[in-house]
């Protein structure tokens, strides 16, 4: 299965697209940033898991990710391996 393409916008608290949030949640769990339920709701728990991921993993160039709880293009690339 290929990695999903970046949706072209930051995925963040309150994101209405449950499908993309579920993808993010599953990947966060796979990368050890859970426990986290895959509800499709970008809630406070999901934001905290994103922050945990951002603090643990670098971007594609090896630089630290900004720990803001949002899944922008650099965090997406670090999560899924594609921008």
């Amino acid at each position: 299965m290929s990695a999903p393409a970046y949706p072209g916008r930051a995925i963040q608290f309150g994101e209405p697209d449950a499908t993309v949030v579920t993808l993010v949640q599953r990947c966060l769990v796979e990368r050890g940033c859970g426990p986290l339920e895959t509800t499709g709701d970008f809630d406070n728990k999901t934001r905290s898991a994103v922050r945990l991921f951002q603090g643990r993993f670098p971007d594609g160039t090896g630089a630290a990710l900004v720990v803001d709880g949002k899944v922008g293009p650099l965090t997406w690339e670090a999560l899924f391996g594609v921008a």
Side-chain angles (χ1 to χ4, degrees), residues 18-75:
T19 302
V20 74
V21 174
T22 298
L23 286 172
V24 168
Q25 289 170 329
R26 286 182 182 153
C27 196
L28 287 166
V29 170
E30 290 171 7
R31 301 296 297 271
C33 295
L36 183 65
E37 292 182 50
T38 53
T39 62
D41 180 24
F42 200 118
D43 55 10
N44 284 321
K45 290 180 182 181
T46 302
R47 182 168 44 195
S48 293
V50 170
R51 287 181 179 148
L52 178 62
F53 176 84
Q54 291 169 326
R56 286 184 177 174
F57 295 92
D59 71 12
T61 68
L65 290 166
V66 174
V67 180
D68 61 4
K70 299 176 185 178
V71 182
L74 296 177
T75 299

